[in-house]
Amino acid sequence: MDQSDEIVLVGCGNMGFALLEGWVGRAGIPAGRIHVIEPAKALRSRAAAVGATVHADAAELPQALRPRAVIIAVKPQVVRSMLCAYRRFGGKAAFVSIAAGVPISTFEATLGETAIIRAMPNMPASIGLGVIAAFANVHTDDGQMAYVTNLLAAVGAVHWLAEEKLVDAATAISGSGPAYLFHFIECLTEAGVAVGLSAETALALAKQTVEGAAALAGTSGFSPAELRQQVTSPNGTTAAALQVLTAEPCLAELMTRAVAAAHRRALELAVA
């Protein structure tokens, strides 16, 4: 990545700040080359503490600025009202939106024929372990896709999708997925307390078990099904537990229903 390239980051909330920290701390992008637009004083202060060039609004951006990328990290409901302020970068910079549910057509209506990418990072991006589903419009060239891949990779693994509609499907898996795992940890902790463990011990065992199992699933050459079979001895304790989880309504059915509900809601928000 060319470290001389300038970036405009619109919005420095939790995900915007995670990107900023990733660019500076992991990608090695000089903080002063990143222009952060953020109306909230407290959020500007933390961006400034990282070394970024901060502005209260787009009017403060230098007229000579020619950013290679403009990252839109604001709430979905304000995207339409703020895009006009960045129209001058259309056709030059690649626009990357992490505003959930806002279609590329919304950006094209204001910006015209310019590179626009929808991306959906998830919460673990805040520690550099996120997963990002992304889709690029027809005006995005290979060089821009490679550049944006490097930007997003500073906070996690990037997966390019073949169709824009799949961004909503990915949101139901990776975007909402951390909440499913957090709830699983809650439930496993409560189950541990129910069989006699202290709340502190049950929580530690649950968190560390999920962390270790996820790391093993991510690095092992075995599929999750094969790993499950390796843990499960015939007529053993794990088999007894799995009999419960596979009984009706089984965990697989519940997860399918949960993801379908999240997907439906993503579609509803997209047209709202």
Side-chain angles (χ1 to χ4, degrees):
M1 182 181 297
D2 186 346
Q3 294 188 338
S4 68
D5 293 325
E6 292 188 293
I7 300 167
V8 171
L9 172 62
V10 186
C12 199
N14 291 335
M15 194 56 69
F17 187 65
L19 286 166
L20 176 60
E21 285 194 309
W23 295 335
V24 175
R26 300 185 194 93
I29 297 174
R33 308 292 293 184
I34 304 169
H35 295 260
V36 175
I37 314 299
E38 175 53 61
K41 184 176 180 180
L43 300 185
R44 285 202 307 276
S45 295
R46 69 175 182 177
V50 175
T53 303
V54 298
H55 312 276
D57 58 53
E60 297 181 3
L61 288 171
Q63 284 299 312
L65 181 66
R66 296 292 183 270
R68 188 167 181 183
V70 178
I71 315 299
I72 307 298
V74 299
K75 295 184 182 301
Q77 56 267 32
V78 304
V79 168
R80 290 173 176 82
S81 62
M82 50 73 66
L83 268 182
C84 286
Y86 302 92
R87 183 180 289 161
R88 65 186 174 107
F89 301 130
K92 307 174 186 71
F95 281 74
V96 182
S97 168
I98 61 171
V102 182
I104 283 176
S105 59
T106 295
F107 290 86
E108 291 176 334
T110 298
L111 302 172
E113 296 184 356
T114 193
I116 301 166
I117 293 162
R118 278 184 68 185
M120 176 50 63
N122 64 0
M123 190 178 182
S126 62
I127 58 170
L129 295 175
V131 58
I132 305 98
F135 173 80
N137 71 351
V138 296
H139 305 298
T140 307
D141 62 35
D142 291 344
Q144 290 169 317
M145 285 187 68
Y147 179 71
V148 171
T149 297
N150 285 333
L151 288 182
L152 297 175
V155 296
V158 183
H159 298 269
W160 288 97
L161 304 175
E163 300 178 74
E164 184 180 3
K165 67 180 182 181
L166 295 179
V167 174
D168 294 315
T171 298
I173 298 295
S174 57
S176 300
Y180 312 156
L181 269 294
F182 298 149
H183 185 52
F184 178 80
I185 292 171
E186 288 182 285
C187 294
L188 193 56
T189 299
E190 292 171 2
V193 171
V195 294
L197 294 171
S198 70
E200 181 180 8
T201 299
L203 178 59
L205 291 176
K207 289 195 297 186
Q208 291 160 14
T209 296
V210 169
E211 180 182 11
L216 180 59
T219 58
S220 173
F222 294 103
S223 70
E226 290 170 326
L227 290 171
R228 171 180 53 77
Q229 292 164 0
Q230 290 174 19
V231 178
T232 309
S233 300
N235 299 316
T237 58
T238 307
L242 286 173
Q243 284 180 348
V244 177
L245 293 176
T246 55
E248 297 297 332
C250 67
L251 181 59
E253 178 188 346
L254 290 174
M255 286 307 306
T256 299
R257 288 164 53 188
V259 169
H263 186 216
R264 283 195 302 273
R265 186 56 181 152
L267 296 174
E268 290 168 359
L269 291 172
V271 300

